[in-house]
Amino acid sequence: MNRVIRVNMSDLTVKEEELSEKLIYDAGRGLTSKIVCEEVPPKCHPLGDKNKLVFSPGMVTGTKAPCSGRISVGAKSPLTGGIKESNAGTPTSQKIARLGIKAIIIEGMPEDDSKFYKLKIDKDSAELLSANEIIGKGMEQTNKHLISEYGEYIGIIGVGPAGEMRLSAAGICFNDPENRASRYAGRGGLGAVMGSKGLRAIIVDETDAPGVKIQDKELFNQGQKKLVEAIRNHDLTKPGGVLNAYGTSAVINVMSEVGALPVRNFSKGRFEGAEKTSGEAIAEAIEKRGGGMTGHGCHPGCIIRCSNVYPRPDGSEHVSCIEYESDWAFGANCEIDNLDDIAELIRLCNDIGLDTIETGAAVGVAMEADVIPFGDGKKAIKLLEEIEKGTPLGRIIGSGASVTGQVFSQYKVPTVKKQSMPAYDPRGVKGIGVTYSTSPMGADHTAGYAIAAEIFGVTGKLDPLTTEGKVELSQNLQISTAFLDSTGYCLFIAFAIMDIEDGFIGVLETINGLYGTSFTAEDVSKIGMDIISEEREFNRLAGFNEVNDRLPEFMKEEELPPHNNVFDISDSDLDKVWDENK
Amino acid sequence: MNRVIRVNMSDLTVKEEELSEKLIYDAGRGLTSKIVCEEVPPKCHPLGDKNKLVFSPGMVTGTKAPCSGRISVGAKSPLTGGIKESNAGTPTSQKIARLGIKAIIIEGMPEDDSKFYKLKIDKDSAELLSANEIIGKGMEQTNKHLISEYGEYIGIIGVGPAGEMRLSAAGICFNDPENRASRYAGRGGLGAVMGSKGLRAIIVDETDAPGVKIQDKELFNQGQKKLVEAIRNHDLTKPGGVLNAYGTSAVINVMSEVGALPVRNFSKGRFEGAEKTSGEAIAEAIEKRGGGMTGHGCHPGCIIRCSNVYPRPDGSEHVSCIEYESDWAFGANCEIDNLDDIAELIRLCNDIGLDTIETGAAVGVAMEADVIPFGDGKKAIKLLEEIEKGTPLGRIIGSGASVTGQVFSQYKVPTVKKQSMPAYDPRGVKGIGVTYSTSPMGADHTAGYAIAAEIFGVTGKLDPLTTEGKVELSQNLQISTAFLDSTGYCLFIAFAIMDIEDGFIGVLETINGLYGTSFTAEDVSKIGMDIISEEREFNRLAGFNEVNDRLPEFMKEEELPPHNNVFDISDSDLDKVWDENK
């Protein structure tokens, strides 16, 4: 059972294939990137018929391995012009895996670009149906409609109006365990690719799914136990630990304290409104208002449970979830210190189908250009409503920070490879700047989360303000992350498995138990490096070179208060990240 | 007298220098490109304080050499991200040359980006003054105001509201002999660079100018006579010849007939409205309505005189001038067949300070995206008024065709290196496609005008639809053009000097007479190639590689009616243009 579903949107046909032998151990990012590299011409127009959109659950997804419900999505990015892998945690990934599906490949493009379809997948077949009834609808209504049509046990993948409009900040939305349209493979405009294919939604029905066959159950169970143990024993990931109790937004206060929380479109590192927009403040509001929850999980089997459901003042549900990156993007980055405004901005992104990071960064650049004032949450909400309406201003913001900067002729545009930076200012945490610069994905914290060492001291603390060891740190993390993104495990298990060796062994054992393989720690590095090499080769053929592996000029010129540092890792050091591995 | 005026907009100081010995024979494009390559960091932000804007009249400008009133402007382009040279014909170039000024270098940037200044230059000095009185004014009013202040014998260089807004389609405006704000170094967003420097205008007062010193008058006069003779004897350039009688728009009917006039955003090659928007129709309207003129010259001493002044139906002056490229950009490209609408669109560009080619191409892309309908001249006029007002939609269009395509998620965006293609479809005239692809400037017909051979049969006719010989043709033309752009001579003398050998000798004799040099035809090739090599090296350091030397995908995929050809010169052939010269 290694099903590959290949959907041709030009002639509206669906074919089932078996995964080729040489890809048999690939999954998640490893598989989506391989298929993109093999089948997509690197120079093609990202919104043209030659681009392909690929979905793949991780290696161990669909099993009871903890925190393993990630799905990977790949394509050529309309935002960066390079290869893009973005992933999300969702029960839908588990359903796809249990149906024996290793990859869904969407290719071609309908002649008529106003037509939209939905793809329905079950244990026997996959078929394309008209999506007329959901065209133009937000993701909230879309999910409601699809559930009323297909029942509540389906998995839903969809794009909102932003994807229909093929906006470069459009993400791909997955349902959470309660069927909220809230889990996003947000980055790089993959929603625009899905929109350009005329595909509005995918419905996954796992009735009578065969499930995932485990080759060596004993080994798998042993590994699973070790990993659960490690996660339950690490301070960051354990139940009742900081991520579980306060969600990822617990990092707001930490980063502001450190002086590297990007504030006011990356002009300072400490936010006066940090406390008011922190994970602690979110937990307090949830407690006081009722109707929400902390410790929410994005998929069954997660034991970290860092997500939340945020309530309105009256206790009704407002949005799930206020993550650190989303909180920062509209909060500190836009100097908005009102959590209810931030919640509404996130809700709008979820509903319209937008990446919160890219959209928040674009709003920050628009504020820098005086389109609306910094700190004005209500006007920011109006700006997002413009995206939904598809007005020219809305389309500018929905095209991301780089285009917004170009249209409004701004100097300070916090992007790498045209993708906006997330919530760590590289002048204040230099290792993450190496990742932003050199990841084939563009600025992306998840591609090599140097913060783990520089701020949280995982595997030993490195001074965030110095340059030493940062190239090596980022390189190692990028390589191991490329592997982790292929497993289906959540990135957050990394805290536990980097600090607790048995946890890492557990990961290997679950994989080896499942596939009957004997992957070692060395193989992990090799697999990770192979993935990145392939991605970088795609980018090279698409026209990227070392000049694309750089932070924007202002980060080398303008000092970041309070530490008044610039980003001073040299170009030649940045080039060492991948040169040594050629 | 080799004055270099260096203006620092950061501290508002002006310094006078002597041109360095090694640059002594450089002028025009040769000098602006050299200074940009030497002084501008290739990776700098084009709108930041590290970019520099350089003006330089040509080698023989300021003398009585015919058609030699061109001025070159150089900088890093905010449109392409590479080096940019754009030039124009204007009496101001002659005034600058006669003041003994070889280059004006504008560097730095004021802290306060709402402040604007004007630079006044005369025989003794140069000074910065406030430009408060013209901020926000169109170029028409700007010129009127400056003339009322400084008299009618000044030269004026300015940017309009588009430059103030730092829009990527903003050009730099020069006055014509009657002080109209109508002669543009339009391409590549150099107006945005001037705007970013806070420089709104340059006023050139040539009172008591020393003039240009000629080393060997006899040789110079001999060369001048030969060149005049050649121009007067070539069918295309002679008085009463096609360019003189009908202006450059005479080419509309020719290209439509050939089937390579880009119509409806490059979707077909023949225009039903060709006749109505042709040079012949312009001449007829001028004759019938009165109040305009054909055979207008952009600077004193021009004997080709291909410009015109177009009247309104009531005989009042509407605009100067309706050139082929502008006529096409808003006419055939937007399927607008009303000359009065086209005239108004050009007038608006001249007044707002926009490149007509880039703006027309952006409007065409917006029409493709259904922002306004194809063929609707009145709505196109409204769209340009949006640019003047700086609305979001206006800013999108004013940012050029590439950004417009990105914001409106379009597949068919006719640009190379993000600069829009001019009025020849490379599927129908393949040599010009080689120039579009491989010029360091982005898509630019003037960089190597293959049309001369492919359509007009200058130096012998080549079939426009075949690929043979086109790499060599474009290469030779690009090299000789880089030299010609340095002389101050108008590109149109090329018709005469390519077909009539004595004309070319005349060019060399004017230069050698002026400088006391002994440049040969071989030197011309060497100088031209050196300029291009340097420009390409700047681009390489800025991040460009061979992938940037390509036409957009749709030109290789979609056939162009009526000949139903695609662009089929291979990538490896395109790479031969410069590889052989390494």
Side-chain angles (χ1 to χ4, degrees), chain A residues 43-169:
Chain A
K43 292 199 252 312
C44 77
H45 193 299
L47 301 180
D49 66 344
K50 289 180 181 49
N51 199 2
K52 301 191 181 189
L53 184 71
V54 187
F55 297 85
S56 176
M59 289 175 172
V60 300
T61 306
T63 69
K64 59 179 182 168
C67 312
S68 66
R70 306 289 296 184
I71 190 161
S72 167
V73 196
K76 174 165 174 166
S77 164
L79 185 78
T80 70
I83 195 167
K84 172 55 57 182
E85 190 271 351
S86 185
N87 56 64
T90 167
T92 298
S93 186
Q94 300 169 310
K95 290 178 203 288
I96 293 171
R98 285 193 293 256
L99 284 167
I101 297 169
K102 296 284 284 183
I104 304 166
I105 304 173
I106 316 295
E107 54 191 35
M109 204 162 95
E111 279 277 308
D112 178 350
D113 66 8
S114 68
K115 285 258 165 63
F116 284 94
Y117 300 87
K118 60 194 183 205
L119 176 69
K120 176 150 184 300
I121 298 174
D122 60 28
K123 78 175 199 341
D124 300 314
S125 64
E127 61 176 331
L128 282 169
L129 304 160
S130 160
N132 280 346
E133 74 284 5
I134 48 174
I135 292 179
K137 284 200 164 71
M139 279 312 301
E140 215 171 302
Q141 286 305 311
T142 297
N143 275 22
K144 266 193 195 151
H145 179 92
L146 294 174
I147 287 159
S148 77
E149 197 174 349
Y150 296 103
E152 63 183 310
Y153 298 110
I154 54 168
I156 305 171
I157 306 173
V159 292
E164 283 188 22
M165 287 187 264
R166 289 109 167 128
L167 295 176
S168 303

Side-chain angles (χ1 to χ4, degrees), chain A residues 248-415:
Chain A
T248 51
S249 286
V251 182
I252 294 274
N253 275 335
V254 176
M255 290 309 301
S256 183
E257 197 55 41
V258 164
L261 182 72
V263 179
R264 201 181 168 94
N265 188 36
F266 290 76
S267 62
K268 45 189 186 171
R270 202 162 274 166
F271 183 36
E272 285 189 20
E275 196 60 51
K276 289 171 71 180
T277 57
S278 65
E280 292 83 345
I282 293 169
E284 197 186 309
I286 288 170
E287 163 114 30
K288 218 159 82 182
R289 293 174 178 182
M293 71 180 289
T294 54
H296 176 259
C298 68
H299 64 276
C302 176
I303 52 182
I304 302 173
R305 303 180 74 83
C306 67
S307 173
N308 57 38
V309 179
Y310 185 80
R312 293 196 173 80
D314 66 6
S316 65
E317 182 175 319
H318 195 167
V319 71
S320 175
C321 76
I322 306 188
E323 299 234 40
Y324 170 64
E325 296 291 339
S326 312
D327 188 350
W328 158 81
F330 293 113
N333 184 51
C334 296
E335 283 194 324
I336 295 170
D337 64 3
N338 180 318
L339 265 180
D340 292 315
D341 286 348
I342 293 169
E344 179 60 11
L345 288 159
I346 297 169
R347 190 195 67 75
L348 281 164
C349 282
N350 285 354
D351 196 41
I352 301 167
L354 291 161
D355 178 20
T356 52
I357 298 177
E358 195 64 48
T359 308
V363 172
V365 171
M367 285 173 160
E368 186 87 45
D370 290 329
V371 176
I372 60 169
F374 275 108
D376 195 329
K378 303 295 179 279
K379 285 202 173 130
I381 289 168
K382 286 232 174 310
L383 205 48
L384 260 59
E385 289 166 351
E386 300 245 0
I387 306 180
E388 190 167 16
K389 289 179 211 147
T391 66
L393 178 56
R395 291 199 72 115
I396 295 168
I397 306 295
S399 298
S402 175
V403 165
T404 301
Q406 176 85 18
V407 170
F408 290 109
S409 310
Q410 291 302 298
Y411 174 71
K412 237 171 69 187
V413 184
T415 60

Side-chain angles (χ1 to χ4, degrees), chain B residues 186-207:
Chain B
R187 310 234 64 198
L190 294 177
V193 179
M194 187 158 156
S196 76
K197 303 285 175 213
L199 189 63
R200 187 58 166 74
I202 302 175
I203 300 112
V204 182
D205 175 357
E206 66 160 332
T207 311

Side-chain angles (χ1 to χ4, degrees), chain B residues 252-253 256 261 263 268 270-278 281 327 331-332 335-339 342:
Chain B
I252 294 275
N253 276 334
S256 182
L261 182 71
V263 179
K268 44 189 186 172
R270 200 162 275 163
F271 183 36
E272 285 188 21
E275 196 60 52
K276 289 171 73 179
T277 58
S278 65
D327 187 350
E335 283 194 323
I336 295 169
D337 64 3
N338 180 319
L339 265 179
I342 294 168

Side-chain angles (χ1 to χ4, degrees), chain B residues 125 253 315 337 348 354 364 400 523:
Chain B
S125 64
N253 276 334
D337 64 3
L348 281 164
L354 291 161
D523 292 323

Side-chain angles (χ1 to χ4, degrees), chain A residues 43-45 47-50 78-79 109 165-168 390 392-393 395-396 399 403 406-413 418 540-548 550 553 556-557 571, chain B residues 43-45 47-50 78-79 109 165-168 390 392-393 395-396 399 403 406-413 418 540-548 550 553 556-557 571:
Chain A
K43 292 199 252 312
C44 77
H45 193 299
L47 301 180
D49 66 344
K50 289 180 181 49
L79 185 78
M109 204 162 95
M165 287 187 264
R166 289 109 167 128
L167 295 176
S168 303
L393 178 56
R395 291 199 72 115
I396 295 168
S399 298
V403 165
Q406 176 85 18
V407 170
F408 290 109
S409 310
Q410 291 302 298
Y411 174 71
K412 237 171 69 187
V413 184
K418 297 192 190 152
R540 191 187 67 78
L541 294 170
F544 286 55
N545 57 28
E546 70 283 0
V547 177
N548 300 103
R550 300 288 180 263
E553 183 183 291
K556 295 169 227 172
E557 300 288 333
D571 289 355
Chain B
K43 292 198 250 316
C44 76
H45 194 301
L47 302 179
D49 66 344
K50 290 180 181 50
L79 185 77
M109 203 161 96
M165 288 187 262
R166 290 110 166 128
L167 295 177
S168 303
L393 179 57
R395 292 198 71 115
I396 295 168
S399 298
V403 165
Q406 176 86 19
V407 170
F408 290 110
S409 309
Q410 291 303 297
Y411 174 72
K412 237 170 70 187
V413 184
K418 297 191 192 152
R540 192 186 68 76
L541 294 170
F544 286 53
N545 57 29
E546 70 282 1
V547 177
N548 300 103
R550 299 289 180 264
E553 182 182 291
K556 294 171 228 172
E557 299 288 332
D571 289 355

